[in-house]
């Protein structure tokens, strides 16, 4: 998983282009990849977020169904 531009080692300056592309390349020689453990944690968080959103939609459907007499 690649780092978003705002997470570059050079900080926000690299994201907004201050110092040019050489700043980002020099500050992040590994190519901007996240460590495997961090990538796994992010993927787990994404899955948990999707589960919570699905639960919320199911709750809304239940409440809306109860209000319409279905």
């Amino acid at each position: 998983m690649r780092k978003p531009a705002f997470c570059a080692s050079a900080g926000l300056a690299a994201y907004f282009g201050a110092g040019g592309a050489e700043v980002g390349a020099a500050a992040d020689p590994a190519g901007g990849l996240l460590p495997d453990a961090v990538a796994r944690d992010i993927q787990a968080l994404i899955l948990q977020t999707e589960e919570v959103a699905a639960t919320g939609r199911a709750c809304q459907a239940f409440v809306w169904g109860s209000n319409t007499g279905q």
Side-chain angles (χ1 to χ4, degrees), residues 2-5 7-11 14 21-35:
R2 295 192 64 74
K3 291 181 194 175
C7 291
S9 299
E22 63 278 355
V23 171
D28 193 9
L33 295 177
L34 292 171

Side-chain angles (χ1 to χ4, degrees), residues 1 7 9-10 13 15 17 22-24 27 32-33 52-53 56-57 60-61 67-68:
M1 180 178 282
C7 291
S9 299
Y15 180 69
E22 63 278 355
V23 171
L33 295 177
V52 168
R57 288 189 297 272
Q60 286 178 332
N67 288 336
T68 60

Side-chain angles (χ1 to χ4, degrees), residues 2-56:
R2 295 192 64 74
K3 291 181 194 175
F6 63 85
C7 291
S9 299
L12 290 175
Y15 180 69
F16 290 107
E22 63 278 355
V23 171
D28 193 9
L33 295 177
L34 292 171
D36 289 340
V38 174
R40 280 191 303 273
D41 288 346
I42 291 172
Q43 289 297 333
L45 183 59
I46 290 168
L47 290 174
Q48 290 173 350
T49 302
E50 290 173 353
E51 290 174 4
V52 168
T55 301

